[in-house]
Amino acid sequence: TTPADCRRQRQMCIRDSAGTVGVWVDNRDGIHHTFTIEGLDVDLEIPALKAKRVDFEAPAGTYDVICTVPGHESMTATLSVGG
């Protein structure tokens, strides 16, 4: 996934190298959200108007990031992890 692909799909793209991946998630909304990657067992809840960091192990590949709050099905991102 390239940055241009993400703009066309209206998605946020995150790129990192394989191994330990660290991501800061800044929730600027007045309600909580999640940063969830089911295939990697990542499920971070971010309170309203707060930021949190999550660190996890990820092999090379592409992963879907979702918000699991009901009604937030359109809140998605793509995580691309290099080799």
Side-chain angles (χ1 to χ4, degrees):
T1 304
T2 68
D5 292 334
C6 292
R7 283 191 296 276
R8 279 192 295 276
Q9 298 169 18
R10 297 179 185 260
Q11 291 184 337
M12 175 181 69
C13 289
I14 305 162
R15 298 169 83 74
D16 208 336
S17 56
T20 301
V21 176
V23 177
W24 274 100
V25 184
D26 187 4
N27 180 4
R28 297 180 184 180
D29 287 340
I31 60 171
H32 77 280
H33 291 287
T34 69
F35 180 89
T36 304
I37 308 171
E38 293 174 343
L40 298 177
D41 293 324
V42 174
D43 191 22
L44 177 71
E45 185 166 326
I46 309 101
L49 304 173
K50 301 288 182 184
K52 281 191 166 184
R53 180 183 170 95
V54 62
D55 295 294
F56 51 93
E57 294 296 316
T62 301
Y63 303 92
D64 294 324
V65 181
I66 60 172
C67 177
T68 60
V69 174
H72 294 191
E73 293 80 14
S74 66
M75 298 183 79
T76 63
T78 300
L79 170 67
S80 295
V81 178

